[in-house]
Amino acid sequence: MTTPPSGATDTHCPYCSLQCGMRLRPTAGEPAPVEVEERPDFPVNRGALCGKGRSAPAVLAAHARLTAPLVRDARTGQLREVSWPEALDRAADGLAAAAHRYGPDAVGVFGGGGLTNEKAYLLGKFARVALRTAAIDYNGRFCMSSAAAAQRAAFGLDRGLPFPLEDIPRAGCVVLVGSNLADTMPPAVRYLRELQEAGGKLIVVDPRRTRTAALADLHLQPAPGTDLALALGLLHLVVAEGLVDEEFVAARTTGYEAARAAAMAHWPERVEHLTGVPVALMRRAVGLFCGTPDRTGMVLTARGGEQHSKGVDTVGAWINLCLATGRAGRPAAGYGCLTGQGNGQGGREHGQKADQLPGYRSITDPAARAHVAAVWGVDPAELPGPGRSAYELLDTLGTPDGARALLLMGSNPVVSAPHAQHVTERLRALDCLVVADVVLSETAALADVVLPSAQWAEEDGTMTNLEGRVILRRAALAQPPGVRTDLEILHGLADRLGVPEGFPAEPQEVFEELRAASAGGQADYSGITYERIAAEDGVFWPCPASGPGEPEHPGTRRLFLDRFATPDGRARFADVSHRPAAEEPDADYPLRLTTGRVLAQYQSGAQTRRTPALAAAAPGPFVELHPRLAARLGVTDGDGLTVVSRRGRVTAPARLTAAIRADTVFMPFHWPGEGRANTLTNPALDPVSRMPEFKVCAVRVEKAS
């Protein structure tokens, strides 16, 4: 790692899971207190930045953010500025009152996949030690939980990518399922281009011909909700054409016969009927994927394939394709998940997920409970058990069986949760809602107490990117007056709740405790230090601490080369079969809706919508539909279009394009109000991951009056 010039700070982008390296240099304060420069030495993005990263300092400007705590005035019902002591007192009193009246599990905690590892760790500890509640989960449940569950079932371990991004150009063929990388992670597109420049092939699976699909050598365009059938059909062809790697299957896997039998029930013509993908294109895909030298090849999935009520089975089927063809557990091969949120990986490893303790430990494992309790200085019996998943937690807010008070940190479920109007009503039903955020998001606007948080450029902390690379964000600025870090907020709340020790506000002190808590777990960070991260441009977990006289562990760039992380070292095939989406089109709702992101916005848009350049590039929602559908409706480009599901109705301008299937409409999910896509989405949950079915529901479309 090179040393930054005097006055500059090397750090990382606040947005997606690439965690691109960037350099910040102070300015005169206008239009923002720092400006972004490229940092070519960081290996993930090699200096490249997208528009979101380049414009990230805009939200640091005082006019764009919260700069003082707010409480809701009992007389006027409006939020008003108060001092920090008053705000923290009000917040702690509200949380304590709910616990006293209804019991500890009546206090909920909802975290975020953008929080640093230190914040995620301390938030989980705060829930279980200061509040003693089981009611904690986070918005990462909406991100890669299906892929995580499928990877743990298949490999015994979940890390987004079990290999670094630099391996992609050597893969020979990459199948990209449900990812529009060109819009969501533009700097990563260079790896796809390098793959093709080296003679490799790119296959994109997406109902829309996105900018990423336009780059592909082959685009498969299945109906939303049918990716599972497509993966099974491809495996059928692999078996039928004698392309199974029998030696690999025998030596390094279990469960093949059941998976094979399931695939044989999904013959190509049946799969064409289910998905709309022609048999000829399926055969071509198998030829490309199985035609690579040395059994190289990758399948990479993202939310398009995962955010379904059968997301775990879908990912399992794509993993089966890798295992059957021997494309796993060897260099430049395997399955990987393209994590979405900035710390979607690390954010769930260290304790803000309902069923996990730090180090990716199960909260129901007695040994895990004993280890973490010892680090925390509490009796293992005092630790609560698993709580509800994210949507189930939100769905029961304010009810006799649910949380009556909620601390929410780093999330905006009013815009981002499925069945969003219902979630909004549940938030309004709380006795007390406390929100810590950098801006007055749509969720913060409902709160009883709003606590203004410091931002990415104003504090140190670690993140874990999609490769499992633990990186270090560095503060380039002092936090402005009236703003505190999330660690300081948790420290202040814990003190008021009678737990003055164990909640340090210094990030490196928290990380040292995290190292101890994760030691021996699957996500072992005990050998990682701030100094090593800075010197090595990130350290890959697992990285256990070395014993006396032993060499320092180098970190694990590539997993599974010798054995998988299962008890017997073998990968497990998934025994899965196609099933319909939770909600299929019918006479009343004849179309499918799918949702996603656009280039200039990020997640719920709480920050990017406040960035002038990004707001100008993508000013509002739209409904994308095929010209044939538009002609039937009598709609032209730009006309108001109303989309109706069983949960609500939204209106936004029509955008006509032949890049989408004629039986499908698409909406981006970044905006609130009458164009809020998640008003429509279906909260049907995957039975294993508890992932909601964001990516498909039945709708009808009408010309707006």
Side-chain angles (χ1 to χ4, degrees), residues 103-258:
D105 287 348
V107 183
V109 176
F110 198 86
L115 301 179
T116 64
N117 289 316
E118 292 80 0
K119 295 177 185 181
Y121 169 82
L122 210 65
L123 188 63
K125 182 181 179 183
F126 178 82
R128 285 146 182 150
V129 174
L131 295 174
R132 299 195 175 185
T133 182
I136 176 173
D137 209 62
Y138 82 127
N139 66 12
R141 177 78 67 171
F142 301 157
C143 178
M144 56 179 294
S145 59
S146 290
Q151 287 188 81
R152 288 174 70 83
F155 306 134
L157 177 68
D158 152 47
R159 194 180 82 186
L161 296 181
F163 38 71
L165 286 163
E166 67 194 46
D167 286 2
I168 289 176
R170 301 188 293 113
C173 181
V174 170
V175 181
L176 198 59
V177 182
S179 170
N180 183 11
L181 208 63
D183 279 4
T184 58
M185 300 179 186
V189 172
R190 72 179 348 160
Y191 293 101
L192 303 180
R193 295 191 185 280
E194 289 170 5
L195 165 78
Q196 292 172 314
E197 289 166 2
K201 302 299 181 183
L202 174 64
I203 301 171
V204 171
V205 179
D206 198 305
R208 303 164 60 226
R209 185 166 178 78
T210 63
R211 294 200 310 137
T212 309
L215 301 174
D217 298 283
L218 177 62
H219 176 205
L220 306 181
Q221 203 166 0
T226 65
D227 290 343
L228 173 54
L230 178 61
L232 287 162
L234 296 179
L235 181 56
H236 180 111
L237 288 170
V238 165
V239 175
E241 295 178 14
L243 298 172
V244 174
D245 187 337
E246 304 283 359
E247 181 179 351
F248 177 88
V249 168
R252 299 198 60 186
T253 74
T254 62
Y256 169 66
E257 287 306 322

Side-chain angles (χ1 to χ4, degrees), residues 354-658:
D355 56 353
Q356 287 179 192
L357 291 171
Y360 224 140
R361 289 180 159 93
S362 169
I363 201 168
T364 59
D365 177 2
R369 293 171 65 87
H371 174 85
V372 174
V375 174
W376 288 351
V378 300
D379 186 329
E382 296 176 1
L383 296 178
R388 290 184 170 103
S389 72
Y391 182 77
E392 292 164 305
L393 174 61
L394 296 171
D395 180 45
T396 55
L397 293 177
T399 68
D401 190 39
R404 307 300 289 264
L406 182 70
L407 170 63
L408 190 146
M409 188 170 280
S411 186
N412 188 18
V414 165
V415 178
S416 63
H419 199 359
Q421 186 55 42
H422 171 69
V423 169
T424 302
E425 292 164 0
R426 301 284 17 107
L427 288 164
R428 292 184 186 277
L430 286 165
D431 295 358
C432 178
L433 173 60
V434 180
V435 174
D437 209 333
V438 300
V439 298
L440 190 67
S441 69
E442 287 72 22
T443 304
L446 302 179
D448 299 287
V449 183
V450 182
L451 304 173
S453 298
Q455 294 196 51
W456 58 286
E458 300 162 351
E459 57 184 349
D460 292 345
T462 61
M463 306 282 280
T464 306
N465 83 342
L466 76 170
E467 308 165 295
R469 184 193 303 258
V470 184
I471 56 93
L472 181 60
R473 285 186 183 169
R474 286 293 196 189
L477 300 165
Q479 61 206 57
V483 169
R484 295 189 182 181
T485 70
D486 289 327
L487 298 182
E488 290 171 333
I489 290 169
L490 291 173
H491 174 84
L493 290 173
D495 184 48
R496 285 163 171 78
L497 292 167
V499 190
E501 303 296 329
F503 293 90
E506 170 55 43
Q508 193 162 359
E509 186 178 349
V510 177
F511 190 77
E512 290 302 308
E513 185 179 306
L514 182 158
R515 292 176 63 206
S518 73
Q522 286 194 325
D524 191 334
Y525 283 33
S526 60
I528 304 176
T529 64
Y530 275 31
E531 292 75 20
R532 278 196 66 182
I533 297 170
E536 300 173 27
D537 276 329
V539 181
F540 290 79
W541 71 261
C543 182
S546 302
E550 295 178 352
E552 190 173 66
H553 192 285
T556 311
R557 295 176 71 85
R558 296 172 180 86
L559 296 168
F560 313 139
L561 295 182
D562 300 315
R563 69 189 310 275
F564 296 97
T566 56
D568 61 5
R570 291 170 173 261
R572 299 185 178 96
F573 279 89
D575 181 4
V576 296
S577 294
H578 171 73
R579 61 183 187 273
E583 192 175 83
E584 290 285 340
D586 58 21
D588 294 325
Y589 301 93
L591 301 171
R592 292 180 174 91
L593 168 73
T594 192
T595 65
R597 284 168 51 185
V598 297
L599 176 62
Q601 298 289 346
Y602 179 74
Q603 303 299 79
S604 75
Q607 295 181 53
T608 49
R609 284 186 275 114
R610 288 169 168 82
T611 301
L614 301 178
F622 57 88
V623 182
E624 189 177 276
L625 74 165
H626 195 279
R628 290 203 301 271
L629 175 59
R632 291 206 306 270
L633 296 168
V635 170
T636 59
D637 205 65
D639 286 350
L641 204 59
T642 297
V643 185
V644 186
S645 79
R646 290 177 172 85
R647 288 153 297 281
R649 59 196 299 126
V650 303
T651 299
R655 183 174 294 183
L656 276 58
T657 173

Side-chain angles (χ1 to χ4, degrees), residues 240-317:
E241 295 178 14
L243 298 172
V244 174
D245 187 337
E246 304 283 359
E247 181 179 351
F248 177 88
V249 168
R252 299 198 60 186
T253 74
T254 62
Y256 169 66
E257 287 306 322
R260 177 188 180 280
M264 290 296 96
H266 294 79
W267 57 93
E269 292 76 15
R270 180 191 177 199
V271 172
E272 178 175 337
H273 174 74
L274 290 169
T275 66
V277 177
V279 172
L281 295 186
M282 286 187 263
R283 291 188 185 280
R284 186 178 172 207
V286 168
L288 292 176
F289 189 63
C290 295
T292 59
D294 303 321
R295 296 292 196 270
T296 58
M298 296 176 180
V299 174
L300 306 177
T301 69
R303 308 303 79 74
E306 300 162 13
Q307 286 180 323
H308 295 275
S309 60
K310 54 179 181 289
V312 175
D313 286 359
T314 300
V315 174

